[in-house]
Amino acid sequence: MSEKALTQKDPATVRKDRPGRGFKREMEGALENEKLTVVNLTRTAKVVKGGKRFSFRALVVVGDTNGSVGVSIGKANQVQLAIQKAASHARKHMGKYPIINNTIPHETTGKFGTGSVWMKPAAPGTGVIAGGGVRAVLEAAGVQNVLTKNIGSSNPFNMVYATCEALKTLRTKEQVARMRGKGEGAAKETTTPAAQPSAN
């Protein structure tokens, strides 16, 4: 028997359940309680010599339902590959935001481009009063009770990124007290009069 025949693998012994590269790329960096939502999926066309070249653009929101959420856009020639690229980039650029009693700490407004989103805390049982990309971001972050209103552009990209900008402005009571405490301490040091010498 030749050496080539000895080194050749028997097709019956080759494992067929071994995941390929696509599976590894898709599962890489996946969160434990991950919530992934495809907010927008668009087919784009580029006119080239001989016709049109089509590709896909996906807007994906990824969160751990515990205050962390990320948003990204992926572009590829296949739908699944565009979603995977956007999800991978969103996991690497997630932000941590304060969530108190399943709602946001205070009222806030976020702006991005021509989009503007207003949010306000809500009582337990209210639910997420939001639509489109705003709901996707808040649910991925773990918010269960909130009131929102889109007062700007209805473009899903602007709405999603405006919601993220609003979440970035959230502060807890401890954070605000710490910020004010430093300011008050500095003010007291600058306004304290110098000690007068005693007259003897």
Side-chain angles (χ1 to χ4, degrees):
M1 187 179 292
S2 64
E3 183 179 355
K4 183 177 180 181
L6 290 174
T7 57
Q8 188 175 5
K9 293 183 179 180
D10 185 7
T13 62
V14 177
R15 292 182 57 185
K16 297 182 180 181
D17 58 340
R18 185 173 297 169
R21 296 180 180 177
F23 179 83
K24 182 178 180 181
R25 189 188 307 115
E26 182 179 2
M27 298 303 295
E28 183 180 1
L31 305 175
E32 184 177 354
N33 298 321
E34 180 179 283
K35 182 177 178 61
L36 188 149
T37 305
V38 180
V39 178
N40 183 268
L41 184 62
T42 308
R43 189 184 72 169
T44 60
K46 180 181 179 181
V47 179
V48 296
K49 184 178 180 180
K52 295 181 180 180
R53 182 178 299 170
F54 294 99
S55 61
F56 297 91
R57 179 183 60 192
L59 175 63
V60 175
V61 176
V62 179
D64 63 352
T65 65
N66 193 27
S68 297
V69 64
V71 180
S72 183
I73 300 174
K75 300 177 183 180
N77 295 332
Q78 299 178 9
V79 174
Q80 192 62 26
L81 185 57
I83 296 174
Q84 290 177 9
K85 289 172 65 176
S88 177
H89 190 268
R91 293 189 191 102
K92 295 178 182 178
H93 298 82
M94 296 180 69
K96 184 70 175 179
Y97 309 109
I99 306 297
I100 301 176
N101 297 327
N102 298 325
T103 188
I104 58 178
H106 55 81
E107 181 178 343
T108 183
T109 302
K111 294 183 179 181
F112 183 85
T114 57
S116 181
V117 175
W118 168 85
M119 297 190 299
K120 183 179 180 181
T126 304
V128 179
I129 309 300
V134 180
R135 172 182 289 272
V137 175
L138 294 176
E139 288 183 346
V143 179
Q144 299 180 9
N145 303 290
V146 67
L147 300 173
T148 68
K149 180 66 177 179
N150 178 35
I151 52 180
S153 171
S154 60
N155 185 305
F157 296 89
N158 288 340
M159 291 173 61
V160 167
Y161 284 104
T163 305
C164 293
E165 291 297 323
L167 293 177
K168 291 179 182 179
T169 63
L170 295 178
R171 300 288 184 273
T172 61
K173 291 182 178 179
E174 293 76 12
Q175 291 175 334
V176 174
R178 192 160 50 245
M179 294 168 60
R180 292 179 177 177
K182 290 182 179 180
E184 291 175 0
K188 290 180 180 179
E189 292 178 2
T190 56
T191 57
T192 301
Q196 298 293 335
S198 58
N200 292 327

